[in-house]
Amino acid sequence: MLSANAEQRANIKFLTKLGKSATETYNLLTEVYGDQCLSRTQVFEWFKKFMEGRKNVGNDPKSGRPPTAKTPENVEKVARIVRRDRRLSIRAISELTNINKESVRQILHDDLGMKKVCAKVVPKILTPQQKEHRVNCYMWKNASWVLHHDNAPAHNALSVKRYLAKNNIPVMEHPPYSPDLAPCDFFLFPKIKSALKGTRFESVDAVKAKATQLLKSITQDDLQHCFQQWKIRMERCRDRGGDYIEGDNISNV
């Protein structure tokens, strides 16, 4: 009997033979398996393997030198995956690379100099220039207002920048590698994920409907609390010379 993951990989193989795209394959699997579905990155990795002619749906056999070793090849393999998706968990990276979780953790921490901040993999130690950038972004005039959003592609789109400039909307620059200062990362995404966790959905549309419902249920008090947390985080970042503030008990301040 196939394991749950092997069953999904078999379905990926079947869908490639039907001529489905990687995105269509992921959407169909999500409809069937809900929150138990393989991650988007995992689906795309296996889709690529089957398109290249792979037949076996099982994990690669562990032969020769153990794949748990921190070899240069494994370090590069982990680095490539993290560059594609900084939100992957250590468990997901382990499954994609066939390297045990402890070795993945060591590679991220020791070899790549990275750590998790607000569910994103970021550099473990910021450079002096990056710290200075984080501090400088805090400055604005009293009794004035600014728009602060992160560096997501949608926010950096030319059409968005033109709209903001046309309407004279002041924008606070968001420093790179700073999910601990981004309201979406420390407030919105965790709030939505917490409400969705453990729920099995019958279709992608059901997920979208529930997420939309949760977004609409956010109250003025929720947003005010988010603003207060943002202000505290920015002040602590400034007071610490740009160091990460993730891990502080901010919610009780």
Side-chain angles (χ1 to χ4, degrees):
M1 183 176 180
L2 291 175
S3 66
N5 284 353
E7 177 183 302
Q8 293 188 52
R9 292 194 290 265
N11 286 327
I12 295 171
K13 180 180 178 181
F14 174 70
L15 290 168
T16 62
K17 292 183 178 296
L18 286 180
K20 300 295 184 182
S21 68
T23 299
E24 289 174 324
T25 298
Y26 174 71
N27 290 340
L28 288 168
L29 288 175
T30 303
E31 288 188 21
V32 175
Y33 295 100
D35 60 342
Q36 301 301 315
C37 181
L38 296 173
S39 70
R40 183 184 181 89
T41 300
Q42 290 172 293
V43 172
F44 276 53
E45 286 280 346
W46 280 98
F47 184 92
K48 182 174 181 292
K49 290 178 181 179
F50 292 129
M51 288 296 292
E52 292 174 347
R54 180 177 177 127
K55 304 297 182 183
N56 183 18
V57 300
N59 290 321
D60 293 324
K62 299 180 180 180
S63 59
R65 187 173 184 178
T68 57
K70 293 202 301 176
T71 64
E73 292 79 10
N74 284 340
V75 171
E76 177 58 28
K77 188 185 298 183
V78 171
R80 284 199 306 270
I81 289 176
V82 170
R83 283 195 294 268
R84 286 200 299 267
D85 188 349
R86 291 181 178 272
R87 290 187 175 276
L88 283 177
S89 66
I90 288 178
R91 178 185 63 81
I93 296 173
S94 174
E95 291 179 356
L96 287 170
T97 59
N98 199 27
I99 305 171
N100 72 32
K101 290 187 288 187
E102 177 58 22
S103 292
V104 170
R105 187 196 66 78
Q106 291 178 10
I107 289 173
L108 289 171
H109 187 274
D110 301 335
D111 297 273
L112 301 179
M114 310 188 88
K115 66 176 182 178
K116 281 279 189 177
V117 173
C118 290
K120 278 188 176 179
V121 179
V122 297
K124 182 174 61 177
I125 300 176
L126 294 168
T127 66
Q129 292 77 15
Q130 289 168 335
K131 291 181 181 180
E132 182 180 5
H133 194 176
R134 281 164 58 87
V135 172
N136 291 340
C137 286
Y138 174 77
M139 301 174 184
W140 70 86
K141 298 178 181 178
N142 292 331
S144 64
W145 72 275
V146 293
L147 172 65
H148 179 208
H149 54 198
D150 61 19
N151 297 323
H155 298 156
N156 284 323
L158 182 60
S159 58
V160 173
K161 291 182 176 180
R162 284 176 174 170
Y163 175 85
L164 297 174
K166 178 182 177 182
N167 291 278
N168 297 314
I169 298 175
V171 179
M172 176 184 290
E173 182 183 5
H174 184 74
Y177 305 122
S178 299
D180 55 332
L181 303 180
C184 283
D185 286 304
F186 70 73
F187 167 74
L188 183 60
F189 296 154
K191 185 178 182 68
I192 300 300
K193 286 171 63 177
S194 177
L196 295 176
K197 188 175 181 180
T199 305
R200 185 177 181 85
F201 296 94
E202 298 300 326
S203 66
V204 174
D205 287 339
V207 179
K208 292 179 180 178
K210 182 61 177 179
T212 301
Q213 177 189 340
L214 292 170
L215 289 170
K216 290 182 177 179
S217 70
I218 294 176
T219 65
Q220 183 175 339
D221 287 341
D222 291 331
L223 295 176
Q224 185 62 37
H225 176 68
C226 173
F227 173 76
Q228 292 299 329
Q229 288 228 334
W230 172 81
K231 186 172 183 292
I232 291 171
R233 285 170 177 265
M234 296 295 285
E235 289 172 346
R236 289 194 177 178
C237 175
R238 175 200 61 192
D239 296 342
R240 293 187 176 186
D243 281 333
Y244 287 123
I245 51 86
E246 181 70 7
D248 286 358
N249 193 7
I250 294 173
S251 60
N252 295 326
V253 175

